[in-house]
Amino acid sequence: MYEPDTAAILPGDVLNSASTDDEVSPSDSFDNNEEVHARTSSSLRPPFSCPLPVSVEPVLFLSMFSLALQAPLSTQYLWGRISEDLGYNGSKRSECSNSSVLPDPLLKEVETLTAHWNMYISLGGFSLGLLVVPLLGSWSDLAGRRPVLIIPNLGMALQAVVYLVVMYLKLPVAYFLLGRLLSGLSGDFNGILAGCFAYVADTSDRQSRTFRVAVLEACLGLSGMLASIIGGQWRRAQGYINPFWLVLATNLASALYAYLFVRESVLPDPSAKLLTTRHHKAIWHLFSTGGSTNEAGGGFHRCKLWMYMLCFFLVVTVHSGCRELFVLYELSSPLCWGPALIGYGSAALHLAYLSSLLGLKIMQCCLEDSWVAIVGLASNIIGLVVFSVADTTQLMFTGYGLCFLFMASTPVIRSKLSKLVGLSEQGALFACVACVETLCYLVGSSLFNSLYPATLHFMKGFPFLFAAIILFIPAGMIGTLQCLDQRRKHRGFTAS
């Protein structure tokens, strides 16, 4: 087990982040930190120190900005290229149109091919990510976090280069898949997610960890909102190529920031190898035994790990699935929103990341983290119920307003998972969480995009109602686990 660099972590945080108990021996903490200080060299420090009170937040912000800017642009480029290849030069028709003209059969073919290529590209990156991200995450527990922050950003930059070459030379769109595979081989955005959340787990104590994780998730929302606004306007003004140069520059800037300013939080082992089955075995050991901290918890400890992971899967699947339906729901009747209203709705959804961060900080003053998560889920459920019956613009924005705490649950679940494993297992854990998150996007997209057309004949907003019902499951599980924990603590207190 390798201890973190004392330059990045305050005294006493080492055992706090590794232990599942709230009490740590002060003497043990000081002894461990003295040992770490003796083994730490100046080579672990970055070339420069950042004057701002941030660590990996800019890395995640820039990487997410790049991803959120790239994703819609690449889909629109695929649409344009496929339309050009098939000779289709029409525009998409809306349900709100009064035109009685029969739809162009080429339109359906363009939509189908675009959807298929999007699926091929996503599956290509996801399949490689399932193999590479667990390797990188577990390897970072030994080799350090900084490489996992730098390598995936360089891979995403390489993907942007391939996309730019395709656009300049008008190569077949199949080369987009090549760029996605190259990014997947480097860990892709999921590798950055795993590295950033593991870094925060290394450098925070048990009391502040949930809020630190929430700050990272707020970075995701804020950067996504800015990228959505900038990307749409820029594409309309100058086309696809110039925005993709910003994608490339942003990924390189993120990698450069990680190299120059991020302090290492794990003492690297020079002998640590990346390409070895040891890393996958470490992940299997983590979930089959409950990790290195599962000494007194037994089966209950391992059960909590699996149950919180299931809660995370359900919540993120609902979030990702519903997010894909919002635009489709708003474009069609009876709402018939235009680009401006759709932009405002997207902004309102992303602003909920910031309101959730503020709400979480306030609620932590009087509530346990588990109850904070349940309040966040309740906000999400109420908002989804309103979405399911929204037939006016006012009602739709009322739903967005009621979801102002909907992102308060995921940082709590990430923090709960982090506190269940040891310090030397944070990278492996968050690598698994990142892979599960990608799986959530695929499952959510497939499930809700299939459910929406299947239920149009009896209730257009049924997928949102279905999503609200699903969220009762993680709410019940989190509340049950919290009650069991309180009961166990009470029994331990009375026994002593």
Side-chain angles (χ1 to χ4, degrees):
M1 173 175 174
Y2 293 91
E3 304 290 349
D5 182 5
T6 51
I9 300 181
L10 298 175
D13 286 353
V14 173
L15 292 183
N16 281 342
S17 61
S19 173
T20 56
D21 298 324
D22 290 331
E23 296 182 0
V24 177
S25 170
S27 61
D28 291 343
S29 178
F30 285 124
D31 289 344
N32 280 349
N33 278 297
E34 288 175 3
E35 179 185 353
V36 170
H37 182 72
R39 293 157 54 194
T40 301
S41 65
S42 60
S43 63
L44 298 180
R45 300 175 183 272
F48 303 99
S49 60
C50 181
L52 301 176
V54 294
S55 55
V56 293
E57 288 83 1
V59 175
L60 190 61
F61 181 92
L62 291 171
S63 301
M64 181 61 195
F65 182 91
S66 168
L67 183 69
L69 183 63
Q70 170 185 300
L73 289 176
S74 60
T75 300
Q76 292 176 70
Y77 180 81
L78 285 172
W79 173 279
R81 279 296 306 277
I82 292 172
S83 297
E84 182 181 343
D85 293 342
L86 295 178
Y88 174 73
N89 58 2
S91 60
K92 295 184 69 177
R93 295 177 175 86
S94 168
E95 275 185 301
C96 302
S97 173
N98 293 323
S99 175
S100 58
V101 179
L102 292 175
D104 191 332
L106 282 178
L107 173 60
K108 184 176 181 180
E109 189 173 355
V110 169
E111 290 177 329
T112 302
L113 285 175
T114 303
H116 283 173
W117 274 112
N118 263 334
M119 181 181 67
Y120 299 150
I121 292 169
S122 297
L123 287 177
F126 173 66
S127 58
L128 283 178
L130 282 180
L131 298 174
V132 176
V133 174
L135 277 177
L136 287 174
S138 183
W139 178 63
S140 73
D141 288 326
L142 302 175
R145 308 294 184 206
R146 291 177 70 203
V148 181
L149 301 177
I150 296 172
I151 295 173
N153 268 305
L154 296 179
M156 292 175 68
L158 185 59
Q159 178 185 351
V161 170
V162 173
Y163 280 24
L164 282 168
V165 171
V166 171
M167 292 175 185
Y168 273 112
L169 302 181
K170 290 196 172 182
L171 298 176
V173 295
Y175 283 97
F176 271 23
L177 178 59
L178 173 62
R180 189 72 173 84
L181 292 175
L182 291 174
S183 179
L185 281 173
S186 70
D188 203 45
F189 182 68
N190 288 329
I192 300 170
L193 277 180
C196 289
F197 283 111
Y199 189 97
V200 164
D202 293 337
T203 58
S204 61
D205 56 26
R206 294 174 63 84
Q207 287 72 33
S208 65
R209 188 170 307 166
T210 302
F211 183 72
R212 287 289 307 279
V213 170
V215 169
L216 282 182
E217 296 207 351
C219 289
L220 294 175
L222 182 60
S223 60
M225 179 178 64
L226 291 176
S228 299
I229 296 172
I230 293 173
Q233 299 295 330
W234 200 357
R235 207 278 306 175
R236 188 179 298 109
Q238 296 185 352
Y240 300 99
I241 291 179
N242 287 342
F244 262 92
W245 278 110
L246 180 60
V247 171
L248 173 60
T250 307
N251 285 130
L252 293 177
S254 181
L256 188 63
Y257 175 89
Y259 175 76
L260 293 178
F261 296 108
V262 176
R263 291 182 171 183
E264 185 56 80
S265 63
V266 173
L267 185 64
D269 177 9
S271 64
K273 296 180 180 180
L274 174 60
L275 300 178
T276 173
T277 57
R278 172 183 179 180
H279 303 309
H280 286 109
K281 290 179 180 177
I283 292 175
W284 170 254
H285 177 267
L286 177 65
F287 284 93
S288 61
T289 66
S292 61
T293 60
N294 186 19
E295 296 177 358
F300 180 67
H301 182 97
R302 184 173 63 253
C303 180
K304 284 172 63 178
L305 191 64
W306 279 99
M307 289 183 71
Y308 279 124
M309 191 65 80
L310 177 59
C311 290
F312 182 81
F313 174 82
L314 293 173
V315 172
V316 177
T317 297
V318 166
H319 288 174
S320 59
C322 291
R323 189 176 290 117
E324 291 206 356
L325 290 185
F326 282 134
V327 174
L328 185 59
Y329 190 77
E330 293 159 356
L331 277 172
S332 56
S333 63
L335 294 176
C336 299
W337 282 10
L341 282 175
I342 290 175
Y344 295 146
S346 178
L349 184 66
H350 283 95
L351 280 175
Y353 282 80
L354 300 180
S355 60
S356 296
L357 174 65
L358 178 61
L360 184 145
K361 186 64 175 177
I362 295 173
M363 287 188 291
Q364 279 187 319
C365 298
C366 55
L367 292 174
E368 294 282 346
D369 281 355
S370 294
W371 305 125
V372 172
I374 292 175
V375 171
L377 290 171
S379 170
N380 201 353
I381 290 170
I382 296 171
L384 288 170
V385 171
V386 173
F387 288 140
S388 70
V389 296
D391 55 0
T392 64
T393 296
Q394 292 80 3
L395 200 55
M396 195 68 187
F397 276 105
T398 300
Y400 280 125
L402 291 171
C403 283
F404 75 108
L405 291 175
F406 88 107
M407 285 303 299
S409 55
T410 48
V412 171
I413 298 174
R414 290 186 200 265
S415 178
K416 291 282 188 181
L417 287 167
S418 174
K419 294 173 185 178
L420 288 172
V421 304
L423 183 66
S424 63
E425 299 164 324
Q426 297 293 332
L429 170 71
F430 283 108
C432 289
V433 170
C435 288
V436 168
E437 196 162 358
T438 303
L439 181 62
C440 291
Y441 290 130
L442 292 177
V443 173
S445 176
S446 302
L447 175 62
F448 284 88
N449 280 311
S450 300
L451 189 63
Y452 181 76
T455 57
L456 282 175
H457 64 283
F458 69 90
M459 183 179 181
K460 185 173 183 178
F462 179 78
F464 298 122
L465 185 62
F466 177 72
I469 295 171
I470 290 178
L471 290 182
F472 278 102
I473 300 174
M477 293 171 65
I478 292 172
T480 300
L481 288 174
Q482 177 64 21
C483 292
L484 290 175
D485 279 338
Q486 290 178 343
R487 184 177 300 177
R488 286 167 64 90
K489 288 180 181 179
H490 179 71
R491 287 178 179 175
F493 178 78
T494 54
S496 61

